[in-house]
């Protein structure tokens, strides 16, 4: 029996697939693209020649509007790390726009917390 | 029917949104995390996974090696648009997971954590409380009501060894308004703590 939410998968075709998609590259750290960072396709961009099926899928998905990094991964059925790598590539090539998650500065996060609180209170007061 | 297997259009974040925030919903196995997220989310809750060997920056010798055993951890999340400018993401993962990389990823940029507890199994919550504290997240406790038995707040505080200012709220994770009340309790606490 496996522990719920934690499956020890031996070498799976899934994993090999991830390896192929990423070209075996090290996955980027999350510093840059946090799970809740919003991304969308920049206007007037052209799909790079020879784009992989995964990049095409991201391209099509992100053309429609803003989604969080985790949403992109979930919609495409990719592990977060793999989605993040492909999104990082596209960002470096100038194809993606981001809308930031708040920086960790205390004053900034206080502002965000206030907005979240007001939003929740007006929905559920 | 369209023969092309295209994905159903997802619901995109409103164009007026300028800020994305994240709050963690954590707790031990089967405590109600997914139910809780589902009750508040405006989109059908989504699931994605993290791979713990390849993705780990801390396991250098395994990085990029496709022939290693890997562990998959599922993250459930939901989304809630608040007013014109803010979208809040709620992320849940089982509390017994001790992967550093997973917790760093979850905790990065999170405003705080809501820890769901089952009052009949309080000891099961110790590991997750410890992890939340370890990653420096502010938190509050939401007591999920599985039965009609009333567990006194004082009892719960003592059993969980909470600080006096850590809020404790009661909720039914299946009920949207009830879940929202617990979330508001947490966010009020976060505001006090960032003062
Ligand atoms: N009576 C009652 N049942 C609940 C409540 N919240 C969740 N449940 C039930 O408890 C079971 C577990 O809930 P989940 O939301 O799947 O729990 P989880 O924490 O996501 O579980 P894992 O992801 O497996 O750790 C489900 O059958 C829910 O319907 C609650 O507030 N009251
Ligand atoms: Mg769950």
């Amino acid at each position: 029996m496996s522990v719920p939410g934690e499956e020890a998968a031996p070498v799976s075709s899934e994993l090999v697939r991830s390896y192929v998609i990423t070209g075996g590259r090290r996955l980027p750290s999350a510093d840059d693209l946090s799970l809740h960072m919003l991304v969308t396709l920049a206007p007037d961009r052209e799909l790079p020649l020879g784009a992989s099926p995964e990049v095409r899928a991201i391209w099509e998905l992100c053309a429609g509007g803003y989604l969080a990094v985790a949403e992109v991964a979930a919609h495409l059925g990719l592990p977060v790390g793999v989605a993040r790598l492909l999104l990082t590539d596209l960002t470096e090539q100038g194809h993606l726009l981001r809308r930031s998650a708040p920086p960790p500065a205390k004053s900034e996060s206080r502002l965000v917390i206030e907005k979240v609180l007001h939003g929740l209170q007006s929905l559920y007061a | 029917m369209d023969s092309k297997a295209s994905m159903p259009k997802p619901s995109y974040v409103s164009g007026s949104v300028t800020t994305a925030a994240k709050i963690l919903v954590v707790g031990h196995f089967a405590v109600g995390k997914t139910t809780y997220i589902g009750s508040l989310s405006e989109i059908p809750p989504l699931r994605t996974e993290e791979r713990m060997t390849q993705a780990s920056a801390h396991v250098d010798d395994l990085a990029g090696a496709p022939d290693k055993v890997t562990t998959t951890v599922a993250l459930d999340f939901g989304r809630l648009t608040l007013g014109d400018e803010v979208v809040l993401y709620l992320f849940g993962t089982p509390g017994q997971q001790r992967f550093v990389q997973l917790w760093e990823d979850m905790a990065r940029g999170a405003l705080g954590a809501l820890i769901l507890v089952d009052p009949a199994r309080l000891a099961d919550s110790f590991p997750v409380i410890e992890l939340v504290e370890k990653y420096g997240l502010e938190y509050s406790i939401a007591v999920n009501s599985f039965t009609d038995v009333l567990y006194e707040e004082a009892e719960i505080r003592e059993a969980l060894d909470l600080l006096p200012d850590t809020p404790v709220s009661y909720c039914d994770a299946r009920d949207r308004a009830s879940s929202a009340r617990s979330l508001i309790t947490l966010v009020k606490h976060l505001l006090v703590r960032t003062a």
Side-chain angles (χ1 to χ4, degrees), chain B residues 104-157:
Chain B
E104 283 183 347
D105 203 5
M106 296 265 293
R108 184 173 286 105
L111 299 179
L114 185 71
I115 303 180
L116 291 181
V117 306
D118 177 346
R121 305 194 279 156
L122 289 174
D124 291 358
S125 295
F126 295 155
V128 68
I129 295 177
E130 199 180 288
L131 277 165
V132 166
E133 288 178 348
K134 178 176 165 192
Y135 285 91
L137 293 164
E138 299 289 348
Y139 63 92
S140 72
I141 302 291
V143 183
N144 210 1
S145 350
F146 287 96
T147 64
D148 292 333
V149 182
L150 181 73
Y151 292 81
E152 296 288 346
E153 180 177 331
E155 250 176 79
I156 290 170
R157 287 187 168 282

Side-chain angles (χ1 to χ4, degrees), chain A residues 14-26:
Chain A
E14 264 298 289
L15 186 62
V16 172
R17 184 172 154 252
S18 295
Y19 188 76
V20 170
I21 296 170
T22 60
R25 286 181 293 163
R26 263 295 266 288

Side-chain angles (χ1 to χ4, degrees), chain B residues 7-90:
Chain B
M7 286 176 293
K9 276 275 167 243
S11 125
Y12 290 96
V13 171
S14 157
S16 62
V17 166
T18 55
T19 305
K22 174 171 71 173
I23 285 177
L24 308 187
V25 177
V26 297
H28 63 69
F29 171 62
V31 75
K33 301 173 293 290
T34 303
T35 306
Y36 183 93
I37 290 168
S39 80
L40 284 174
S41 183
E42 71 197 13
I43 54 169
L46 294 169
R47 164 163 291 197
T48 183
E49 41 181 56
E50 296 247 35
R51 296 262 166 69
M52 284 309 125
T53 49
Q54 255 208 328
S56 174
H58 302 272
V59 192
D60 284 354
D61 54 333
L62 297 183
D67 54 359
K68 298 287 181 182
V69 170
T70 180
T71 300
T72 300
V73 180
L75 302 179
D76 285 326
F77 64 98
R79 186 177 94 192
L80 190 53
T81 301
L82 299 169
D84 295 332
E85 289 171 33
V86 179
V87 64
L88 175 65
Y89 286 91
L90 298 173

Side-chain angles (χ1 to χ4, degrees), chain A residues 35-93:
Chain A
L35 292 170
H36 59 302
M37 159 99 50
L38 301 175
V39 296
T40 191
L41 197 65
D44 306 322
R45 304 299 300 191
E46 283 194 22
L47 184 67
L49 282 174
S52 68
E54 290 76 21
V55 167
R56 280 171 191 278
I58 289 187
W59 194 274
E60 194 182 317
L61 181 68
C62 292
Y66 278 98
L67 291 173
V69 168
E71 286 178 291
V72 172
H75 285 302
L76 298 181
L78 292 171
V80 171
V82 173
R84 188 178 268 146
L85 179 101
L86 299 177
L87 289 169
T88 302
D89 286 349
L90 288 170
T91 304
E92 280 167 3
Q93 295 155 12

